[in-house]
Amino acid sequence: MIRIKNLSKLYQTKKQQVQAVDNVSLNIEQGEIFGVIGYSGAGKSTFVRLINRLEEPTNGSVVIHEKDITKMSTNQLRKKRQKIGMIFQHFNLLWSRTVFDNIAFPLEIASVSKTEQKKKVQELINLVGLAGKENAYPSQLSGGQKQRVGIARALANDPEVLLCDEATSALDPETTDDILDLLVSINKKLNLTVILITHEMHVIQKICHRVAVMENGNVVETGDVLDVFVKPQSKTTKRFVQQLNPLEYEKENLVEFINDKEDSEVVKLHFIGNNAKRAVISEVAKKFDVEINILQGSIAPTQEGAYGTLYVEINGDKKILEETITFLEGTGVEVEVLRHV
């Protein structure tokens, strides 16, 4: 649906060149929520602005529905942008206009009739949960309500793609979750492709199907969210995953809980998808003559299913320990034996 190939952006100043985006290639499928995550300066916001040519690329191409955005004339691009919605971190509302008039603004530009405007705007107000706020001004709204207006406005011309540039960064955690739930609902109802830029792994975890990790203008890792969470490859990705469960990466904290008997193993278990619901520890306790000391664990949902980790110390006869670990591996749970924690 969206094919991005060798996309680059080079800024030239009097003193130096800055490579904001460096030869990025990605394929984003119709109807998916695709996350792009990176720390400040990674190039992610420049990248998303290249998609609708708010920034002109130095090199590369962006093809949406078989149409190359980078080769379009000014008039062609103006029409195409009506099908590329965008929401921003700081809302970018027109403060002298009501909620209704803010949402109607793109329709006015597209020369939609007043009758159709009224019908469409009311549908969008209901969709984003702002019924009763039609005549309110932005100054009378909460941050979450302002972003709902921004989302409704971005949907006014029935876009093919919705670009979200740090859309929840200015919101508190509870409001952030409400907006993310709204984006998931819109994605499902409209089969709308969403590209979401963020620096928060919680946002990626909660709503994205796939993710690309950016660093210094490059994509250093990409894949299904579940795969990236369970087996992060790059240092940057590991730092982001650590945001969700800091204790997991501080294994020295486990030492004080380990009995450290002579015949024992410390094991890290990865539960993915339906395996996260399985009572594996209970099965082991019933089947084998071992003692199990649970050291630490966590579980989290993603759009592709739940994943979790559990650290346990298993004490018992050496042969039985081997049989226990073999049994665990046979359940579909990923097993990592940590002999030196």
Side-chain angles (χ1 to χ4, degrees):
M1 191 277 182
I2 301 176
R3 304 289 179 260
I4 298 166
K5 186 174 181 180
N6 301 329
L7 193 62
S8 297
K9 179 62 178 181
L10 181 66
Y11 291 103
Q12 179 69 58
T13 66
K14 291 182 179 180
K15 295 183 178 180
Q16 62 178 345
Q17 292 182 333
V18 178
Q19 189 77 53
V21 176
D22 188 6
N23 203 39
V24 169
S25 295
L26 291 170
N27 291 333
I28 300 169
E29 300 305 322
Q30 171 68 38
E32 78 172 326
I33 303 178
F34 190 94
V36 179
I37 191 168
Y39 290 104
S40 179
K44 57 191 186 297
S45 289
T46 301
F47 167 73
V48 78
R49 291 169 67 86
L50 290 171
I51 293 175
N52 60 2
R53 275 180 62 186
L54 287 177
E55 293 280 356
E56 288 291 340
T58 306
N59 293 298
S61 62
V62 178
V63 177
I64 302 176
H65 282 176
E66 309 304 325
K67 302 292 184 181
D68 191 340
I69 303 295
T70 57
K71 294 181 179 179
M72 288 183 175
S73 66
T74 301
N75 287 336
Q76 290 172 327
L77 181 60
R78 186 179 297 115
K79 291 180 181 179
K80 188 64 174 178
R81 277 182 179 156
Q82 292 179 2
K83 295 299 180 181
I84 305 174
M86 190 164 188
I87 57 177
F88 305 88
Q89 178 179 357
H90 297 297
F91 321 125
N92 289 15
L93 302 182
L94 299 170
W95 295 89
S96 61
R97 283 179 166 242
T98 63
V99 167
F100 186 99
D101 291 337
N102 263 282
I103 299 170
F105 186 61
L107 298 171
E108 294 174 17
I109 294 174
S111 300
V112 175
S113 70
K114 290 290 185 181
T115 301
E116 287 299 314
Q117 282 185 37
K118 185 175 181 179
K119 179 182 176 182
K120 184 65 176 181
V121 171
Q122 197 58 57
E123 288 176 357
L124 290 169
I125 284 173
N126 293 335
L127 178 66
V128 301
L130 286 175
K133 295 290 184 179
E134 291 87 346
N135 297 317
Y137 288 88
S139 61
Q140 299 171 305
L141 303 177
S142 67
Q145 289 170 334
K146 291 173 188 172
Q147 195 57 286
R148 288 172 187 269
V149 177
I151 293 170
R153 180 184 59 187
L155 297 176
N157 283 314
D158 300 316
E160 303 163 342
V161 182
L162 181 62
L163 307 178
C164 306
D165 189 8
E166 297 280 11
T168 59
S169 294
L171 306 175
D172 62 73
E174 184 175 351
T175 306
T176 290
D177 283 346
D178 289 342
I179 294 298
L180 295 177
D181 288 340
L182 175 60
L183 289 174
V184 170
S185 175
I186 289 168
N187 166 256
K188 291 178 179 178
K189 287 179 181 177
L190 306 180
N191 192 32
L192 180 64
T193 305
V194 180
I195 301 177
L196 190 149
I197 306 299
T198 185
H199 64 275
E200 299 173 287
M201 203 61 173
H202 163 73
V203 172
I204 300 294
Q205 171 207 320
K206 187 172 176 66
I207 73 168
C208 294
H209 301 107
R210 291 194 300 137
V211 60
V213 182
M214 289 193 71
E215 181 181 8
N216 297 325
N218 297 285
V219 171
V220 296
E221 188 166 349
T222 186
D224 293 342
V225 167
L226 204 52
D227 292 339
V228 170
F229 272 40
V230 173
K231 294 182 178 179
Q233 300 299 311
S234 73
K235 290 183 180 179
T236 300
T237 309
K238 290 176 181 177
R239 286 173 64 195
F240 277 119
V241 173
Q242 186 178 351
Q243 289 180 5
L244 299 176
N245 186 15
L247 290 177
E248 183 177 334
Y249 290 81
E250 298 175 9
K251 295 177 183 177
E252 63 273 12
N253 292 338
L254 301 179
V255 174
E256 61 181 293
F257 302 108
I258 296 173
N259 292 318
D260 201 22
K261 295 181 179 179
E262 184 175 346
D263 291 328
S264 71
E265 294 282 14
V266 176
V267 178
K268 179 182 179 181
L269 307 176
H270 269 302
F271 300 86
I272 304 171
N274 289 331
N275 283 328
K277 302 176 182 179
R278 186 169 176 176
V280 173
I281 299 302
S282 178
E283 292 179 38
V284 168
K286 291 177 181 178
K287 190 174 182 67
F288 298 97
D289 183 20
V290 293
E291 296 177 353
I292 302 173
N293 178 25
I294 296 176
L295 305 173
Q296 175 184 296
S298 66
I299 190 168
T302 74
Q303 285 294 302
E304 301 303 311
Y307 82 99
T309 57
L310 186 66
Y311 287 88
V312 296
E313 181 186 17
I314 307 174
N315 302 309
D317 179 79
K318 185 175 181 180
K319 184 178 180 181
I320 295 177
L321 284 177
E322 292 175 355
E323 293 174 356
T324 301
I325 291 171
T326 299
F327 171 79
L328 285 169
E329 291 171 340
T331 64
V333 174
E334 186 174 323
V335 182
E336 181 182 356
V337 178
L338 307 174
R339 298 188 183 279
H340 303 289
V341 177

